[in-house]
Amino acid sequence: MITSESFASLREEWASLHSETRQATPFAHPAWHEVWLRQFGSKAAPVFLSVRVEEKLVGVVPLAMERDGARILGHAEICDYAGLLVADGAEAAVARGALEWLTEDLSSRLEAWGVRADQPLAAAFREAADPMGWQFSETPEAVSPQLALPSDFERYLSGLSKHTRHELRRKLRNLSAAGTVTFEGATDGRAVASEMDRFLHLMRASHPDKVAFLTPQMEAFLRDLAATFADLGLLRLSSLKLDGVNIAMTLAFESADTTFLYNSGYDPAYGHLAAGLIAKVFALRDSIERGMAVFDFLRGDESYKRDLGGLPVGLVTLTLRQR
């Protein structure tokens, strides 16, 4: 059964499904859409489709309704994956349900961006399209490198190329020789809020592109997002410190057994110590030590992601049009 529901009526059940779905990303959590709409959604026309099998919620499809059809709610600039939430094994039901609702709504187009090419949802839309009178196309969009984490950090290092392993060990030694090194993670709302000024400062300091990215609206979004997800226990804001000085930070979401590295920043005064890269290595090590299974570097093909062992996962845009 496919229906359109208000966000408020669906939120609790949606959050419960998210907690039960192993491969759910933070971008599919109702809180993500809540924050996005609060900060960017003043002109959006959102619709939240619920898909149920025998009255049990198995999928949520958040849509932005536009003049020529619908697209998945959000934007790839800040939402690395599409915000659809689908229970394992329910991909066919969700694809058919979404197309059924759009047909009845007289919407002639659906754009589903940020869909992982290696997961069943893309195939489910492809298989559902033709029998339901829709044309299907799939366009490569981006890559999102991921790393399956081993049981300990030394095993992780041994899996890297000889050159990368040598360079990382050298950089780690250089940092240790420069002073006392600590890596601390803030996870509760109050602690995260108190560290956000420093994090945003380091983001701006680390690259000119991040200065342009951090508009007042984007900064408000990041602060809102961090506070919201920290209160849910799904965010970790970590600090790499040298002799007590915070020289680099990483902001990551956590869902089930996966760490999602969302953004980072470092103090250029410590660039000679590779502070930005080493903060990411410490985040990796911390994830391993806490028993996480996957480290997702998220959207983008930056070379450091490959160097640190990330393997590319393709993201595609699915475009469906009624015939």
Side-chain angles (χ1 to χ4, degrees), residues 82-249:
L84 298 89
L85 180 61
V86 183
D88 296 335
E91 292 83 8
V94 170
R96 289 195 303 268
L99 296 183
E100 176 187 328
W101 188 89
L102 289 166
T103 300
E104 293 178 356
D105 188 61
L106 302 180
S107 297
S108 60
R109 183 175 184 272
L110 171 64
E111 180 184 300
W113 52 269
V115 175
R116 280 184 54 166
D118 65 338
Q119 291 191 343
L121 187 62
F125 271 107
R126 184 186 305 111
E127 292 168 8
D130 188 60
M132 299 184 69
W134 290 73
Q135 292 179 327
F136 172 92
S137 64
E138 178 179 310
T139 307
E141 181 184 327
V143 296
S144 184
Q146 295 186 3
L147 170 65
L149 296 176
S151 57
D152 62 73
F153 186 64
E154 285 302 316
R155 186 170 295 180
Y156 160 72
L157 290 176
S158 69
L160 301 176
S161 70
K162 182 178 180 181
H163 173 74
T164 299
R165 183 168 61 250
H166 171 78
E167 284 300 303
L168 282 184
R169 291 190 189 280
R170 182 180 65 81
K171 288 178 170 64
L172 288 167
R173 286 196 301 269
N174 287 346
L175 184 63
S176 295
T180 301
V181 179
T182 58
F183 189 74
E184 304 166 356
T187 57
D188 68 87
R190 181 173 297 180
V192 167
S194 70
E195 295 288 342
M196 281 301 291
D197 284 346
R198 179 62 175 170
F199 175 69
L200 293 166
H201 169 76
L202 290 176
M203 275 189 68
R204 287 190 172 93
S206 61
H207 201 283
D209 288 349
K210 294 191 177 185
V211 175
F213 175 74
L214 282 174
T215 63
Q217 186 179 30
M218 188 63 69
E219 179 175 329
F221 170 74
L222 289 176
R223 289 183 185 276
D224 193 352
L225 194 67
T228 299
F229 273 78
D231 285 342
L232 293 169
L234 299 175
L235 180 133
R236 182 173 291 265
L237 184 60
S238 300
S239 302
L240 176 65
K241 295 183 179 182
L242 181 64
D243 289 335
V245 177
N246 193 340
I247 65 173
M249 298 181 74

Side-chain angles (χ1 to χ4, degrees), residues 8 25 66 72 76 89 135 150 233 262 293 295:
T25 73
E66 300 176 344
I72 300 301
Q135 292 179 327
Y262 188 64
F295 195 93

